[in-house]
Amino acid sequence: MINNEIVLKVSNLSKRIGKSSIIKDVSFELNKGEILGLLGPNGSGKTTILKMLVGLIKPTIGSIVIEKVNIRKDFEKAITHVGAIIENPVMYDFLSGYDNLVHFFRMTNQFSNGRIDEVIELLRMDDYIDDKVYTYSLGMRQRLGLAIAILHQPSILLLDEPTNGLDPEGIKSLRETLRKLANENGVSIIISSHILGEMELICDSVLVMDEGKCIERGLLSELQNGTSTKHLYSFKVLNAENIKPILQTKYENDRIHFQSNGFSIELEVEEVAKINKLLVTAGINVIGIERIGSPLEELYLQKLRGEET
Ligand SMILES: Nc1ncnc2c1ncn2[C@@H]1O[C@H](COP(=O)(O)OP(=O)(O)OP(=O)(O)O)[C@@H](O)[C@H]1O
């Protein structure tokens, strides 16, 4: 559950490399237990933001405050609150998953091995934790990476494109794990991905980047309410060759994209039933009506095109 407590505050963050400005005045806050999707096209600055949050890249201007600690003032203290998987996490292929966890656990300066067992149970890794890592599938490796990242019980977890290369089953189980971490353990998560459908299922809120700038930030539920009321619908019919003259009586030709098994058209939701009735009355068998594109996809594309919602 999202809590009002702010765990991360990013203010006026900018990064210049040489003459190019790759991050431009980005500010946002992250609440306890919130899962934030960091979205944006290739090169928009998502990885750079995540790298700045873990101290891999130094901001040119701006401040990052993690759990009330400014990373410029006390980096070591601030970073204890963060777990991250950015690019390929380091792990030892010729050790078992368990021995990897023991190795990384020692680096956290904690002394009770109970935490390792807790993490194995939380991420449901019992079946393969004693196998050597080189035998792991991508999904298992990714889970081990996640286990290493949360060993020291961070309150903020940063994941750069964690679903890359995972099959649908792997994505689903990652989604469930992240939800559990956020809801039951109060972990706040920032997750970057290109795949909007996945983000829609995982995230509470989104931050959309474009050319180094933040062009949208908000709760998914609120942003989706503000999207355009028109959506693209696809109609599948049995006798498609007869539909043109019927539709042309009510709709301009250039609004309709005809296909061999039907057509698609952008409509207000109330118009969907009207078209269906028009077709059925004219003796056309409508076998399917589907809305194309998710609300997040529509919002994202609108924002990138610079349209107001
Ligand atoms: N060390 C660097 N020197 C110069 N330019 C850089 C450097 N690192 C990143 N950039 C540029 O900064 C921009 C943002 O890169 P970044 O990797 O943060 O984008 P991204 O949104 O994560 O992209 P992708 O989705 O492709 O991973 C890009 O135009 C990139 O070329």
Side-chain angles (χ1 to χ4, degrees), residues 17 20 22 40-49 160-161 194:
I17 297 185
S20 55
I22 59 174
N42 287 108
S44 56
K46 305 179 297 292
T47 304
T48 307
I49 294 262
D160 194 15
E161 307 267 356
H194 285 104

Side-chain angles (χ1 to χ4, degrees), residues 1-18:
M1 278 316 110
I2 305 182
N3 178 304
N4 281 338
E5 189 185 323
I6 292 166
V7 292
L8 169 71
K9 188 171 166 62
V10 171
S11 312
N12 309 104
L13 206 60
S14 296
K15 179 69 188 174
R16 289 183 71 82
I17 297 185

